[in-house]
Amino acid sequence: MGTQDNQPPPFGSGETRPAEEILSSVMQELETFHRQMKEQMSQDIQRLQQDKVRLIDDIESLQTEYRRLQSQQFQTLSDRIPPNPAWLKQLTQIVARNVEQALITRINQIKAASDPPFLATDASGLVPLSDHGNENLNNRELEAVLETSLNHTFQSLQQELNHYQSDLSRRLNNMQTLEQQVEALLETIVARLQEQAVAPFIRGDHDRPELPSGRPEALPPAKAALTKQPETVPSGPKPSSPVQLGLFLALLSAVSLSLFNVCLKIILKGPHPREIFGLFSLEGIISPGIGNSLLILLLRMIVVMGLMPIVASFLYPPVWTDLRRFLQSGDRRLMLTVIGSGFFLFVSQVAIYVAIGEIPTGIAITIFFIYPIVTVLASWGLFGDKPTFIRVIAMITILAGGILCLPARNPNIAMGNVQVGVLAAILAGVTFAAYVLLTQVAGGKLHPMPFTLVNFGSIFVFSSVSLMLLPDNLGISLEPGVWNGLIIGGVVLGVLTLSSYLLNNFAIRSAGASLASIIGTTGPALTTLFAFWIIGEAIKLQQIYGMALVILGVGAIGVERWIVTKRKAS
């Protein structure tokens, strides 16, 4: 069954917030701050880019000058220095004092190759060269020394400029990355605040909170077009309340889910053929079991995964942006939480399929509804959420109703293995409670729409892998010629799943999650009613009393949640 529609109110859904005007002002301030930060960072980056261009031009001019000097080879000193021995002697002594160790090394090399030898340095340092040495120091050797010193200077300068250029480029890249991160963060915050602030306004002008002046609060500019409300109300009958519309849609969602359960029961074979509307008999398509339940779930998820992207894009356009951000976030804990919730939902689906195949449909769904007991106790142990008196009474009521609903072997009621069916229904409720808890853990980190999309994708993957790894004694068991009916059944189940999901989503937007969940507690009763009407599946009076107790207990928890939400909003 599509148990994902029985989950508690999704996080971030359309409950009315108590301070919409505060959200609107904060939203405007964030937009202003975002715009100012973006302009300031753009100016800083533009200034740094101009500095970078200027430095690159300076480096290129220096390199051009260096190449020009190198190509000229300084010409020859003989062309630039007149052949005056006295003047050449003085210039050589000045150069010898200023060139330090490089010139000393070169003079020693010339000394070793010349005849008569040059004078070397003594203990006190460099002494004046003799006239013999000065006369033998030719212009080419002096040119080589000067060129070596100049090359070393240009190389050092070029290395420093290259280092500065690389450091500047790295800082510019860091600033651009930081700007993108800040911009994405601000856009996310503004978008979520806009969603929360606009959700109450979408219901119509008559639901808008009023300012002290008595005038309706203006919508934010980015969302004003969503309402499309005329300024003057036309004459005629008043439209129905959005809350009433939401309750009606929640009821339709519960009806779709109940029809899903009955259709699943029709697909699964029973001990005896089933009378459809009392008109004709239908034996079923596939026998109940783990492998066959996995196959039905896989066929259903193929249809859901084919249509869900379209539904998600319609209900929440930024779903792909959020999904890409989630996959690229690197938050392993969040990813494990989301995938873990999908795994528990997958186990719950398989278990409830097995339970519906073995025991009456309404009884299986009623036993499944023990999951609020597990959720309340686990929340107390994990999060310290101590149950209130109403919750304790509701849990006792649900437990008593579940005990009364336990089926016994009755020759008038067609059932399979009762023990397997009861244990499978209990397992479905416990694993669904684990799914609910993990959903609450990931509540503030991922929007419900991409969260649901990932859940459906996880169920599809787990179903495919399980079918491949399942042992032969638990695998698929099909009779020839059943594939056409099986495919049609998978399409019907997939369409009913999406219909229930869509109706529940719109119900939450109109009436709120708490009220929608209260209507969802009618699932066991509607399932039993449709099972009796469509396939003639009857249950005992004792089980009807138990079902009523379960509905009463689960409804009490939903009403308490709705009252708490109203108190927080007031």
Side-chain angles (χ1 to χ4, degrees):
M1 91 174 205
T3 51
Q4 71 279 358
D5 299 307
N6 291 323
Q7 56 187 288
F11 38 84
S13 57
E15 287 293 330
T16 304
R17 298 289 183 178
E20 290 83 357
E21 63 275 6
I22 297 178
L23 287 176
S24 178
S25 62
V26 170
M27 180 176 57
Q28 293 176 359
E29 291 178 1
L30 281 175
E31 289 178 347
T32 304
F33 175 72
H34 174 217
R35 184 170 56 256
Q36 292 175 353
M37 285 290 295
K38 185 175 182 181
E39 292 177 355
Q40 183 178 357
M41 288 187 176
S42 299
Q43 292 175 359
D44 293 340
I45 290 176
Q46 185 177 5
R47 179 175 55 82
L48 290 174
Q49 288 177 344
Q50 291 175 355
D51 294 342
K52 177 181 177 181
V53 172
R54 181 176 55 81
L55 288 173
I56 292 175
D57 292 339
D58 293 343
I59 292 173
E60 291 178 352
S61 62
L62 287 173
Q63 290 176 345
T64 303
E65 181 66 18
Y66 171 71
R67 287 193 296 268
R68 187 183 65 81
L69 292 175
Q70 194 174 28
S71 63
Q72 289 180 355
Q73 292 291 327
F74 301 93
Q75 298 175 357
T76 57
L77 290 179
S78 60
D79 296 336
R80 301 168 63 184
I81 303 176
N84 189 340
W87 189 87
L88 183 60
K89 176 182 177 180
Q90 295 177 0
L91 178 61
T92 304
Q93 290 178 353
I94 293 173
V95 171
R97 292 190 186 94
N98 294 332
V99 178
E100 298 181 349
Q101 190 61 40
L103 184 56
I104 294 174
T105 303
R106 184 61 179 164
I107 291 174
N108 289 334
Q109 293 175 356
I110 297 173
K111 173 179 175 287
S114 302
D115 185 24
F118 285 83
L119 292 180
T121 56
D122 56 12
S124 60
L126 183 65
V127 300
L129 297 176
S130 63
D131 292 340
H132 260 320
N134 290 333
E135 292 174 357
N136 289 290
L137 183 60
N138 55 42
N139 296 334
R140 182 171 297 177
E141 292 167 346
L142 181 58
E143 177 186 350
V145 173
L146 293 175
E147 184 178 359
T148 301
S149 178
L150 188 60
N151 286 341
H152 178 72
T153 302
F154 271 106
Q155 289 174 359
S156 300
L157 179 60
Q158 187 175 8
Q159 290 176 358
E160 292 179 0
L161 290 175
N162 290 337
H163 175 73
Y164 180 74
Q165 181 182 2
S166 62
D167 184 69
L168 181 61
S169 300
R170 180 176 57 82
R171 291 177 182 273
L172 281 172
N173 293 333
N174 291 338
M175 287 190 66
Q176 291 176 349
T177 303
L178 180 61
E179 181 194 10
Q180 293 174 357
Q181 293 175 353
V182 172
E183 183 176 355
L185 178 61
L186 289 176
E187 287 179 352
T188 302
I189 294 174
V190 170
R192 291 190 177 180
L193 287 176
Q194 286 177 340
E195 292 172 9
Q196 295 177 358
V198 173
F201 303 142
I202 300 180
R203 304 173 188 174
D205 288 339
H206 54 281
D207 287 332
R208 297 186 188 178
E210 292 189 354
L211 297 175
S213 61
R215 292 176 287 118
E217 182 180 11
L219 290 178
K223 298 292 183 179
L226 291 177
T227 57
K228 297 183 180 179
Q229 296 287 341
E231 296 183 359
T232 58
V233 179
S235 59
K238 294 183 179 180
S240 59
S241 169
V243 176
Q244 295 177 358
L245 177 61
L247 295 178
F248 178 71
L249 293 176
L251 182 61
L252 290 181
S253 175
V255 168
S256 299
L257 197 57
S258 301
L259 290 175
F260 173 93
N261 298 326
V262 176
C263 290
L264 178 62
K265 186 73 172 182
I266 294 174
I267 293 175
L268 297 173
K269 288 184 177 180
H272 306 289
R274 299 184 179 90
E275 294 289 333
I276 308 300
F277 294 107
L279 301 177
F280 58 92
S281 298
L282 188 64
E283 187 178 359
I285 301 175
I286 187 173
S287 58
I290 297 179
N292 292 345
S293 298
L294 285 171
L295 178 60
I296 296 174
L297 180 60
L298 179 61
L299 293 175
R300 169 199 169 197
M301 294 314 301
I302 290 175
V303 178
V304 171
M305 290 304 297
L307 299 177
M308 186 61 190
I310 302 174
V311 174
S313 300
F314 171 74
L315 294 178
Y316 183 64
V319 60
W320 303 113
T321 302
D322 287 3
L323 190 59
R324 182 171 59 254
R325 187 180 298 115
F326 163 71
L327 296 176
Q328 297 176 352
S329 65
D331 191 347
R332 297 183 60 183
R333 183 174 181 180
L334 177 60
M335 290 183 179
L336 291 176
T337 301
V338 176
I339 296 176
S341 67
F343 172 76
F344 284 114
L345 183 58
F346 157 74
V347 176
S348 177
Q349 298 274 290
V350 176
I352 200 63
Y353 284 14
V354 174
I356 290 176
E358 300 292 348
I359 59 178
T361 313
I363 301 302
I365 301 303
T366 303
I367 297 175
F368 164 80
F369 264 77
I370 67 169
Y371 77 85
I373 299 178
V374 182
T375 304
V376 172
L377 294 178
S379 298
W380 186 14
L382 296 176
F383 310 124
D385 186 10
K386 186 176 180 180
T388 61
F389 177 75
I390 296 178
R391 292 183 185 177
V392 173
I393 298 300
M395 287 190 296
I396 296 174
T397 305
I398 294 171
L399 183 60
I403 294 174
L404 289 176
C405 283
L406 292 177
R409 179 63 63 180
N410 188 339
N412 297 324
I413 301 176
M415 290 187 292
N417 193 322
V418 176
Q419 290 78 11
V420 172
V422 172
L423 292 176
I426 294 175
L427 176 62
V430 173
T431 52
F432 188 78
Y435 158 75
V436 171
L437 292 173
L438 290 178
T439 301
Q440 293 176 353
V441 170
K445 300 179 181 179
L446 189 63
H447 190 274
M449 192 60 64
F451 183 88
T452 304
L453 195 59
V454 174
N455 278 158
F456 284 149
S458 301
I459 295 175
F460 176 78
V461 173
F462 288 133
S463 301
S464 304
V465 175
S466 299
L467 283 174
M468 292 187 292
L469 301 180
L470 206 63
D472 294 337
N473 59 337
L474 298 177
I476 300 174
S477 176
L478 295 178
E479 296 181 358
V482 301
W483 275 106
N484 292 334
L486 198 58
I487 292 174
I488 294 174
V491 172
V492 172
L493 295 180
V495 171
L496 287 174
T497 299
L498 286 179
S499 300
S500 176
Y501 180 82
L502 277 174
L503 291 170
N504 187 64
N505 191 283
F506 286 118
I508 290 174
R509 290 187 179 186
S510 299
S514 299
L515 288 177
S517 65
I518 294 174
I519 301 299
T521 59
T522 60
L526 290 174
T527 300
T528 303
L529 180 62
F530 283 117
F532 176 75
W533 180 43
I534 297 175
I535 60 177
E537 190 176 64
I539 60 176
K540 295 190 297 184
L541 185 62
Q542 172 187 336
Q543 295 169 339
I544 295 176
Y545 292 153
M547 184 182 303
L549 290 177
V550 170
I551 294 174
L552 183 62
V554 178
I557 295 177
V559 170
E560 185 202 23
R561 185 187 301 119
W562 175 70
I563 294 174
V564 171
T565 304
K566 283 294 184 181
R567 287 177 180 175
K568 291 181 179 179
S570 60

